[in-house]
Amino acid sequence: MSDPSSGCAPYRTAVTEAEAEALVRGICFKTGPPRLLGVEIEWLVHELRDPRLPVSRERLEAAYAALREVPLRSALTVEPGGQLELSSPPAASLTECLTTVSADLDAVRAVLRRDGLTLAGLGHDPWQVPRRFLRQPRYDAMEAALDRTGSAGRYMMCTSASVQVCVDAGQEEPGPLGHVRRWWMAHLLGAVLVAVFANSPLSAGRPTGWLSTRQLRWAQIGAGRAGAPALDADPRGAWARHVLDAPVMCVRGDGDGPWEVPEDLSFRDWTRRRAPRAPTRDDLDYHGTTLFPPVRPRGHLELRMMDAQPGEDGWTVPLAVTAALFDDQEAAETAYRAVKPLAERTRGLAAPHNPLWRDAARDGLADPELREAAAVCFAAALAALPRLGAATVLVDRVAAFRDRYVARGRCPADDLLDAWRARHDGRPDGSGAPLLTTHPHGKDTPHDRPRPRRRNPA
């Protein structure tokens, strides 16, 4: 296949609507027995001496220049707000993936430590306001497009971080490892993973009322840019329709000037109007990179819904649990049965813009059904990890997370809230006042209200 960056003719040739849909259908799910695994880890970069202090542009530039000289097996990239991302190469096993990324992280941390900086595993920066570090046409256009739905886009670009796990699409045939089953499970299990690994309850120094404020920001961006397609029996067709009907973020220019940011133009419309110019195969590929659903099919499945995790090794738990539940046949069947009843709570709406995902991001494992599903899934993952060749230290780490959080109906965000309340409760200066944030469906509400610890399932 030609490389779009090479300027080869197939990528510069205009595509029709039918051609675009066929291209998307052909590349979104590459089926076969699950063999490969990957992880993409985003980190906030904080001052080692005081994480509440903003890191200057000059310090970030110097640190990143030093990092570019470090040999790494993972791809190291910088996000719009200066967050760091490490993307592993495809690995043949969970152990290989963990070994590669752990070694690369050790090297990155050593360089940052010399500059007085540290990596912070948080889904949303508790203190900083959005501040762009990268000034590139792509991010200028993204900011302009996302500003049309409010400030959530800037927070997503500049103050959020995640753990994204990549698994193979699965087999063509039906069954626990079939691609249709895995696609469905990803969107139901995804809500459980949001609740389990929620780790972003603060913004601007105060609680938002959501355990995953990062997921709240994604929901606020809107379904066209950050939503999933409706689930049906034909994931390829559903995703292809979704891509063509999604709004075009930008029309790239040839020079150094700003890119055009059209309004109310879907890719389907672009193929029909052929203006401001006819779209090409390269434009179609690029358009796919501007869509941010919670599960993105890129030949494989990219699970994007989990907050960055605390501690140097915290990221290994969501990686291990996700790998076990998707790639071990027995665990996959158990997980699917555990999350299937949650489908009723979606009310037929696509993730993350449905009640199930809203409750997961806001209430975490205080929700009894999500807690029950999480307990079953963790038990299945712990049983599967030795079958996948996981080391005892990793199994023990997953078990410790289960005992500390899942078994108690908690998540890492609860620790952050406990620490915040210990510092602020009872102060007469108003520092504990509710922080108003925008509801995913548009209304402003005070979000530090008490969360119900028990609720009768609807």
Side-chain angles (χ1 to χ4, degrees):
M1 183 177 291
S2 300
D3 180 355
S5 64
S6 68
C8 292
Y11 282 86
R12 295 181 296 175
T13 303
V15 293
T16 65
E17 178 181 350
E19 289 169 339
E21 186 160 354
L23 284 167
V24 176
R25 287 180 65 101
I27 63 176
C28 57
F29 291 89
K30 300 293 187 183
T31 54
R35 292 192 178 97
L36 299 178
L37 179 70
V39 67
E40 301 173 14
I41 319 170
E42 296 171 341
W43 301 88
L44 302 175
V45 179
H46 284 166
E47 289 282 0
L48 189 58
R49 59 193 172 98
D50 187 345
R52 294 168 297 180
L53 297 175
V55 183
S56 70
R57 170 178 291 273
E58 293 73 22
R59 283 171 56 70
L60 285 177
E61 287 175 344
Y64 296 165
L67 284 173
R68 284 193 288 271
E69 304 301 318
V70 178
L72 302 171
R73 290 194 60 199
S74 303
L76 180 67
T77 53
V78 180
E79 295 296 303
Q83 310 98 306
L84 280 183
E85 179 179 89
L86 272 177
S87 301
S88 73
S93 69
L94 175 59
T95 299
E96 178 186 327
C97 187
L98 288 166
T99 301
T100 298
V101 178
S102 295
D104 289 342
L105 276 172
D106 287 344
V108 169
R109 287 194 177 100
V111 171
L112 293 178
R113 195 177 301 115
R114 290 198 298 267
D115 290 325
L117 300 174
T118 186
L119 297 177
L122 295 161
H124 191 280
D125 198 301
W127 304 288
Q128 304 304 320
V129 297
R131 186 179 53 144
R132 283 269 302 282
F133 173 73
L134 295 181
R135 292 290 172 182
Q136 300 172 1
R138 171 183 171 89
Y139 297 120
D140 292 343
M142 182 182 292
E143 184 176 280
L146 295 179
D147 278 351
R148 290 170 180 160
T149 58
S151 63
R154 295 193 180 207
Y155 279 95
M156 177 276 291
M157 291 172 66
C158 300
T159 65
S160 70
S162 66
V163 176
Q164 301 174 18
V165 179
C166 300
V167 297
D168 281 332
Q171 298 171 341
E172 192 68 28
E173 299 80 12
L177 302 183
H179 76 285
V180 176
R181 171 80 69 88
R182 287 160 77 87
W183 177 247
W184 272 72
M185 189 173 81
H187 289 86
L188 296 176
L189 177 63
V192 178
L193 297 176
V194 168
V196 168
F197 297 111
N199 187 39
S200 53
L202 305 172
S203 180
R206 289 181 288 171
T208 64
W210 296 72
L211 294 181
S212 179
T213 301
R214 173 183 166 274
Q215 189 59 52
L216 168 66
R217 302 299 187 200
W218 281 113
Q220 290 171 337
I221 288 171
R225 183 72 53 205
L231 294 179
D232 62 24
D234 178 21
R236 290 187 177 95
W239 178 249
R241 291 189 298 272
H242 181 74
V243 170
L244 265 65
D245 291 332
V248 173
M249 188 182 80
C250 59
V251 177
R252 294 171 295 167
D254 294 329
D256 296 329
W259 295 350
E260 184 173 346
V261 183
E263 199 161 4
D264 298 324
L265 178 70
S266 69
F267 199 90
R268 190 183 304 279
D269 292 337
W270 194 7
T271 63
R272 295 173 178 178
R273 298 179 192 174
R274 305 177 81 78
R277 59 170 174 78
T280 66
R281 166 72 183 274
D282 194 13
D283 290 319
L284 176 63
D285 290 348
Y286 189 84
H287 173 63
T289 71
T290 70
L291 305 180
F292 309 107
V295 183
R296 185 159 62 181
R298 305 182 66 184
H300 57 273
L301 300 183
E302 184 181 80
L303 279 71
R304 305 169 46 84
M305 71 287 297
M306 291 171 282
D307 284 356
Q309 294 298 289
E312 293 194 355
D313 299 318
W315 61 275
T316 65
V317 176
L319 172 61
V321 170
T322 305
L325 297 180
F326 274 87
D327 291 349
D328 179 88
Q329 182 166 330
E330 184 177 336
E333 180 66 27
T334 299
Y336 180 74
R337 292 179 182 276
V339 302
K340 187 177 180 180
L342 299 175
E344 294 183 6
R345 290 177 56 180
T346 68
R347 299 181 185 174
L349 301 174
H353 302 89
N354 64 47
L356 174 65
W357 280 67
R358 178 203 62 210
D359 294 346
R362 186 186 60 200
D363 300 334
L365 296 186
D367 184 296
E369 287 181 304
L370 289 170
R371 179 179 178 178
E372 181 180 355
V376 173
C377 288
F378 262 72
L382 283 166
L385 283 171
R387 295 194 292 266
L388 295 178
T392 301
V393 63
L394 178 62
V395 178
D396 290 345
R397 193 178 299 146
V398 173
F401 185 100
R402 187 240 353 238
D403 295 343
R404 178 172 180 175
Y405 295 115
V406 178
R408 300 170 62 198
R410 289 172 61 88
C411 60
D414 287 305
D415 292 347
L416 294 173
L417 286 174
D418 287 348
W420 185 90
R421 293 185 183 111
R423 291 193 304 267
H424 295 87
D425 279 3
R427 288 191 181 182
D429 60 3
S431 59
L435 175 65
L436 291 180
T437 55
T438 305
H439 189 276
H441 304 297
K443 59 185 179 180
D444 287 333
T445 53
H447 287 321
D448 72 341
R449 62 188 181 280
R451 294 181 293 115
R453 302 306 295 184
R454 288 287 184 269
R455 181 170 68 82
N456 291 327

